[in-house]
Amino acid sequence: MSDFVLPAPAQPSVAVQGQSARFAVRRIFCVGRNYAEHAREMGHDPEAEPPFFFTKPADALVDSASRIPYPFGTADFHHEAELVVALGAGGSFVATEAAEALIWGYACGNDLTRRDMQAVAKAARRPWDMSKGFDRSAVVGPLRPASFGVPKGRIRCLVEGRVTQEADLSEMIWPVAAVISYLSRLVELHPGDLIFTGTPAGVGPILRGQRCEVQIDGLEPAVIEVI
């Protein structure tokens, strides 16, 4: 075993439904604008673009039922409800029809965003890193193993019990298998990679003291309270 001049960082991981063992996470990829109505609300034509990706650091992960501080550097802190897929196998140039075989499990996720900071970055044509990849910005609920089936049905977000986002998973512009296949042509995928698959329309603010819950039919919710 190699020696390090500083202690090695803790391994980022997410919970697994019904198990004490956790899923070790390598990287986090996120798909932008993968629901037509969300693309339109952000001022884009959903028919005109292939999928694009940004990343979050693995140590930005937050378990469900966490209380997190309102992030500094923003006055417009937003939720984005998403289906998350966890890869148990990897590869490059994966065919769409082979992509689902790479999936280890599925979870509810919340791609937390400093929206005002993102708007400034977009206007200046600068990277989104600080608006998307900040501390505690990747909320992931317990993973349900893929052996239980592919999630189908509704995805929704509730803030203080009020539904702010709701759509059907079938409304994705790029289905999960197509997202995995496309991403595998840009980077070599590996076991432990997570992919946030995009958010429906209705993204909006979370204030201090509020509870935000992401629900997907058949999966355990991803819940946070902002303090």
Side-chain angles (χ1 to χ4, degrees):
M1 180 180 295
S2 298
D3 292 327
F4 299 100
V5 295
L6 295 175
Q11 170 64 57
S13 64
V14 295
V16 177
Q17 185 176 320
Q19 298 185 29
S20 59
R22 296 175 63 88
F23 182 91
V25 174
R26 186 172 186 269
R27 296 176 295 185
I28 303 174
F29 299 99
C30 305
V31 185
R33 299 193 290 265
N34 198 25
Y35 287 79
E37 288 306 312
H38 175 59
R40 293 187 184 101
E41 79 175 344
M42 302 305 286
H44 298 272
D45 179 357
E47 307 300 327
E49 300 175 341
F52 74 95
F53 300 87
F54 57 92
T55 62
K56 291 176 180 275
D59 63 4
L61 284 165
V62 175
D63 278 334
S64 183
S66 294
R67 302 175 76 231
I68 66 171
Y70 193 96
F72 43 81
T74 184
D76 197 18
F77 180 44
H78 276 209
H79 60 74
E80 296 193 8
E82 310 208 9
L83 173 67
V84 177
V85 298
L87 301 186
S92 300
F93 295 91
V94 177
T96 301
E97 56 271 20
E100 281 191 6
L102 305 185
I103 299 173
W104 190 93
Y106 301 88
C108 293
N110 197 340
D111 166 20
L112 299 176
T113 303
R114 290 162 160 162
R115 188 69 69 201
D116 45 1
M117 190 178 290
Q118 184 188 36
V120 170
K122 286 180 176 180
R125 298 183 180 273
R126 293 174 179 167
W128 292 6
D129 297 56
M130 292 298 100
S131 61
K132 287 288 193 177
F134 54 95
D135 297 338
R136 296 174 290 275
S137 62
V139 185
V140 179
L143 285 167
R144 187 184 75 179
S147 57
F148 286 86
V150 178
K152 296 180 181 178
R154 308 299 288 176
I155 176 172
R156 61 190 68 83
C157 184
L158 298 88
V159 177
E160 290 294 290
R162 180 179 64 86
V163 175
T164 55
Q165 293 180 269
E166 185 165 20
D168 196 278
L169 294 173
S170 64
E171 295 173 31
M172 287 186 190
I173 300 169
W174 293 83
V176 170
V179 166
I180 294 171
S181 177
Y182 195 97
L183 181 58
S184 76
R185 287 159 171 75
L186 302 175
V187 295
E188 182 179 357
L189 298 174
H190 289 270
D193 288 342
L194 299 185
I195 304 173
F196 281 62
T197 60
T199 194
V203 298
I206 315 171
L207 305 179
R208 288 180 177 86
Q210 290 189 324
R211 181 180 188 273
C212 183
E213 178 172 350
V214 176
Q215 302 174 349
I216 296 175
D217 291 348
L219 300 180
E220 293 191 15
V223 183
I224 55 165
E225 180 185 351
V226 179
I227 58 175

